Amino acid sequence: MKLKNHRRAGWLRTAVSFAVVSVISAGAAAAGAASAPLPQMGFNNWNSTHCRDEFDEAMIRGVADKFISLGLKDAGYTYVNVDDCWANWQRDKDGALQANPKRFPGGIKALAAYIHEHGLKFGLYSSAGTSTCEPLQENRGFPGGLGHEKQDAATFASWDVDYLKYDNCNNNKVDAHKRYLDMANALRATHRQIFFSMCEWGENKPWLWAGKPPVSAQSWRTTGDITDTYASMLKIFKQNVVLDKYASLGHWNDPDMLEVGNGGMTDVEYQSHFSLWAIMASPLLVGTDIRKIKPDALQILLNKEVIAVDQDPLGVQGKQVRDADGIHVIVKPMKDGSRAVAVFNETDAAVDASVTAKEIGLKAAAKYKVRDLWQHSDASGDGSIKVNLPAHAIAMYRISNN
Ligand code: GLA
């Protein structure tokens, strides 16, 4: 892996200035909502296991253990989330959801307690349909929440669930606004704080309504499912990056979970994936089995300077200011008045890229500080970024006038 030295040494020359402070005032509109959640950080098993047998209680407990020992908790990862295939095939005699006794013999409440003992939070999955997404087996699927919202939300609350990912399969074409509002209301009625992560794949333009009352979801998927390929990551990035104006503090666009560490992309591509998700203020949900993670992938996920861009309390999704010739420049205003900047080369060849201070939205200044968030180095310059980017690589900076 070549996280270091992938750029031509000594070629970085940057410039920024000051206008930092004035330009960001618009984003401060969100400032009132001090307790609004930042983009969710944590783990979800789906991208690494799908419905395979390795997804079980022992795995999820092992993941929680690793959150502590690998430093993920310290880096801000909080949620340990369980995806599809956790449920038993049938509801119980009272119509309540129950865990699959083979995969989760100890039950969901005990699992949640284990996660909570680690100082972490616990998330669960359901679908706003008659059954969940995993293909039916023996003509039956895992039961979904449609028409059972109140009972299921009460069950989740009784298990001390902190987060619900609510999918879109087998929805009988019932209006999406109604389906998601019914669950949002049911969750609120429990009086437990449950993060509502909508997963209807962008089919009903959720960015226009899901974050606002009456639904007020904390996040909504904007795209179909990611797969562990560069092409899939790139496609999803392009769909999500243009939706920046619809995200706000506490209400986030969700371009799906991370594939970092799953082996289908190079480390350079995973570094781009992680950086793009961070500058888009996306959920950072680790999608690899961290019990087996390789050091290079872990190093990407633990980059605290990049995580700080994602988690910035100003709560603004980065805006793409250039999309030309395979070069993308994305700028994210930060609460301290600095700006995060990502320069991404989607092409299959190395490129020399230049970005002016003006393009970043800054006035020319004599001197400004440019922090390289992957090299962890400082430079000062005159108002431009010049960088040599290998194929599929990204450079990421935080620029300030102090
Ligand atoms: C859908 C979702 C995925 C995952 C699967 C589970 O495809 O978009 O993220 O939850 O269902 O079956």
Side-chain angles (χ1 to χ4, degrees), residues 46 83-84 125 133-134 165 167 169 199 201 221 225 256-257:
W46 183 254
D83 210 280
D84 200 358
Y125 162 100
C133 289
E134 187 55 19
K165 171 177 175 179
D167 214 335
C169 286
C199 178
W201 320 314
R221 279 271 297 276
D225 288 9
D256 207 358
M257 301 172 292

Side-chain angles (χ1 to χ4, degrees), residues 52-73:
R52 290 188 297 275
D53 287 347
E54 67 197 90
F55 166 52
D56 64 7
E57 188 175 300
M59 176 198 187
I60 301 303
R61 285 175 182 244
V63 163
D65 297 343
K66 287 284 184 186
F67 259 60
I68 314 295
S69 60
L70 295 177
L72 287 156
K73 184 184 172 199

Side-chain angles (χ1 to χ4, degrees), residues 268-287:
V268 165
E269 291 163 352
Y270 281 142
Q271 185 175 321
S272 295
H273 176 20
F274 191 66
S275 303
L276 291 170
W277 264 232
I279 205 154
M280 294 191 297
S282 307
L284 297 179
L285 293 170
V286 175

